[in-house]
Short mmCIF file of all heavy atoms in Angstrom, two decimals:
data_model
loop_
_atom_site.label_atom_id
_atom_site.label_comp_id
_atom_site.label_asym_id
_atom_site.label_seq_id
_atom_site.Cartn_x
_atom_site.Cartn_y
_atom_site.Cartn_z
N GLY A 1233 160.51 41.27 54.23
CA GLY A 1233 160.94 39.88 54.27
C GLY A 1233 159.97 39.04 55.08
O GLY A 1233 158.80 39.40 55.27
N GLY A 1247 143.48 44.57 63.60
CA GLY A 1247 142.77 45.83 63.43
C GLY A 1247 143.66 47.05 63.30
O GLY A 1247 143.15 48.18 63.23
N PHE A 1265 157.41 60.53 52.36
CA PHE A 1265 156.18 60.07 53.01
C PHE A 1265 155.82 61.04 54.13
O PHE A 1265 156.62 61.32 55.02
CB PHE A 1265 156.38 58.66 53.59
CG PHE A 1265 155.10 58.01 54.03
CD1 PHE A 1265 154.29 57.35 53.12
CD2 PHE A 1265 154.71 58.06 55.36
CE1 PHE A 1265 153.11 56.75 53.52
CE2 PHE A 1265 153.53 57.47 55.77
CZ PHE A 1265 152.73 56.81 54.86
N VAL A 1271 153.68 54.74 64.92
CA VAL A 1271 154.95 54.08 65.20
C VAL A 1271 155.52 53.51 63.90
O VAL A 1271 154.78 53.17 62.97
CB VAL A 1271 154.76 52.95 66.25
CG1 VAL A 1271 153.91 51.83 65.72
CG2 VAL A 1271 156.10 52.43 66.77
N PRO A 1294 157.71 57.43 66.95
CA PRO A 1294 158.37 56.38 67.74
C PRO A 1294 158.83 55.23 66.87
O PRO A 1294 158.19 54.89 65.86
CB PRO A 1294 157.27 55.94 68.72
CG PRO A 1294 156.38 57.13 68.85
CD PRO A 1294 156.37 57.77 67.48
N THR A 1300 169.03 43.39 63.08
CA THR A 1300 170.28 42.89 63.65
C THR A 1300 171.40 43.03 62.62
O THR A 1300 171.17 43.43 61.49
CB THR A 1300 170.15 41.41 64.07
OG1 THR A 1300 169.80 40.62 62.91
CG2 THR A 1300 169.07 41.25 65.12
N VAL A 1339 172.09 35.19 87.85
CA VAL A 1339 172.89 34.03 88.25
C VAL A 1339 174.34 34.10 87.78
O VAL A 1339 175.21 33.42 88.37
CB VAL A 1339 172.27 32.71 87.72
CG1 VAL A 1339 170.83 32.58 88.19
CG2 VAL A 1339 172.36 32.62 86.20
N THR A 1352 175.59 28.76 72.51
CA THR A 1352 175.35 28.23 71.17
C THR A 1352 174.02 28.74 70.65
O THR A 1352 173.06 28.89 71.43
CB THR A 1352 175.33 26.68 71.16
OG1 THR A 1352 174.30 26.20 72.03
CG2 THR A 1352 176.67 26.11 71.60
N LEU A 1370 172.47 37.81 74.96
CA LEU A 1370 172.68 36.93 76.11
C LEU A 1370 174.10 37.08 76.65
O LEU A 1370 174.31 37.04 77.88
CB LEU A 1370 172.40 35.49 75.72
CG LEU A 1370 170.96 35.19 75.26
CD1 LEU A 1370 170.80 33.72 74.90
CD2 LEU A 1370 169.95 35.60 76.32
N LYS A 1392 194.74 25.25 75.86
CA LYS A 1392 193.67 25.03 76.83
C LYS A 1392 192.74 26.24 76.88
O LYS A 1392 193.13 27.36 76.54
CB LYS A 1392 194.24 24.74 78.20
CG LYS A 1392 194.93 25.93 78.87
CD LYS A 1392 195.35 25.58 80.29
CE LYS A 1392 195.94 26.81 81.00
NZ LYS A 1392 196.31 26.50 82.40
N ASP A 1420 182.44 19.16 87.94
CA ASP A 1420 181.56 18.02 88.17
C ASP A 1420 180.07 18.35 88.06
O ASP A 1420 179.22 17.59 88.52
CB ASP A 1420 181.82 17.38 89.55
CG ASP A 1420 183.25 16.90 89.69
OD1 ASP A 1420 183.75 16.24 88.76
OD2 ASP A 1420 183.88 17.22 90.71
N LEU A 1440 154.75 43.71 68.06
CA LEU A 1440 153.51 44.48 67.97
C LEU A 1440 153.01 44.91 69.35
O LEU A 1440 152.49 46.02 69.52
CB LEU A 1440 152.44 43.67 67.25
CG LEU A 1440 152.63 43.55 65.74
CD1 LEU A 1440 151.66 42.55 65.14
CD2 LEU A 1440 152.46 44.91 65.06
N HIS A 1441 153.18 44.04 70.33
CA HIS A 1441 152.81 44.41 71.70
C HIS A 1441 153.61 45.62 72.16
O HIS A 1441 153.07 46.57 72.74
CB HIS A 1441 153.04 43.23 72.63
CG HIS A 1441 152.68 43.50 74.06
ND1 HIS A 1441 151.40 43.77 74.48
CD2 HIS A 1441 153.46 43.54 75.18
CE1 HIS A 1441 151.38 43.97 75.79
NE2 HIS A 1441 152.62 43.85 76.23
N LEU A 1446 154.92 51.70 73.29
CA LEU A 1446 155.96 52.72 73.18
C LEU A 1446 155.45 54.14 72.98
O LEU A 1446 155.96 55.06 73.62
CB LEU A 1446 156.91 52.34 72.03
CG LEU A 1446 158.22 53.12 71.95
CD1 LEU A 1446 159.05 52.92 73.20
CD2 LEU A 1446 159.00 52.72 70.71
N ASN A 1451 160.96 60.68 75.34
CA ASN A 1451 162.04 60.41 74.40
C ASN A 1451 163.18 59.67 75.11
O ASN A 1451 163.45 59.91 76.29
CB ASN A 1451 162.58 61.71 73.80
CG ASN A 1451 161.60 62.38 72.87
OD1 ASN A 1451 160.52 61.85 72.59
ND2 ASN A 1451 161.95 63.55 72.38
N LEU A 1456 163.63 45.78 76.19
CA LEU A 1456 162.53 45.03 76.81
C LEU A 1456 162.64 45.00 78.32
O LEU A 1456 161.62 44.94 79.02
CB LEU A 1456 162.48 43.59 76.26
CG LEU A 1456 161.52 43.37 75.08
CD1 LEU A 1456 161.96 44.19 73.88
CD2 LEU A 1456 161.43 41.90 74.70
#
Side-chain angles (χ1 to χ4, degrees):
F1265 191 83
V1271 66
T1300 60
V1339 304
T1352 59
L1370 299 180
K1392 69 175 185 178
D1420 301 313
L1440 286 171
H1441 180 65
L1446 192 62
N1451 291 356
L1456 265 64

